Amino acid sequence: GGRGGGGGGGLGCGAGPERHSSLPVLAVSAHRPLPPERQPKYSDADLLRCLSMASKEKGAKTVSSREYQTLARSRKLDSKRKWPTYETIVRRFGGWGRAFKMARRQAEADEATAMEAGLASPLASPPPTPTGTAAPSGAPSFLCS
């Protein structure tokens, strides 16, 4: 009983490829080139940077999807790529509001990194201290500004 049903299913499946075997193989692969809109790839940082720039320009923590789309139409991320679409951002981050939260966190992290880099340069070459003066509380002079 059970084998007969399985065998019948096998014959039905086996008949399918025989019917389609006359199709040229090239007809299937000819429809494989990537569409042009799939060419640009955006990193998470690219997407977040666009959101940050949009919110800075509008002077708000977030912008509506409509405001973003209006800005995005006239902007380029670099010389070749347009700003990503609203849909791309939502798909990547799971929501519009969530994407802006991540953009703010990224902007804060970038700002902290920039501040650290700015503070590192005076430490690398401390300002000269006049002879005979001590830094407050015994700290080395190059730590005080």
Side-chain angles (χ1 to χ4, degrees):
R3 284 185 175 188
L11 289 175
C13 290
E18 290 173 359
R19 271 186 275 147
H20 298 295
S21 64
S22 61
L23 291 176
V25 175
L26 293 176
V28 174
S29 61
H31 299 300
R32 289 304 216 146
L34 289 175
E37 65 271 8
R38 299 292 271 165
Q39 296 299 328
K41 298 268 183 182
Y42 301 100
S43 68
D44 287 357
D46 289 338
L47 300 179
L48 298 175
R49 187 169 38 146
C50 290
L51 290 177
S52 291
M53 288 191 288
S55 61
K56 276 184 188 173
E57 183 162 324
K58 292 292 183 178
K61 284 186 175 184
T62 62
V63 297
S64 71
S65 58
R66 187 170 283 172
E67 289 175 313
Y68 174 82
Q69 288 171 314
T70 300
L71 282 173
R73 282 188 204 107
S74 62
R75 301 296 160 80
K76 294 214 178 219
L77 190 60
D78 50 37
S79 61
K80 297 175 186 169
R81 299 180 300 165
K82 295 186 224 174
W83 269 22
T85 63
Y86 159 82
E87 293 83 3
T88 298
I89 293 168
V90 168
R91 232 178 294 132
R92 181 79 57 93
F93 298 112
W96 192 241
R98 187 174 179 187
F100 271 98
K101 283 181 188 173
M102 294 180 79
R104 281 193 298 276
R105 283 190 204 130
Q106 184 62 49
E108 289 167 4
D110 291 347
E111 192 175 307
T113 300
M115 287 179 66
E116 287 174 10
L119 291 176
S121 58
L123 291 177
S125 55
T129 311
T131 312
T133 59
S137 70
S141 61
F142 66 89
L143 291 178
C144 302
S145 51

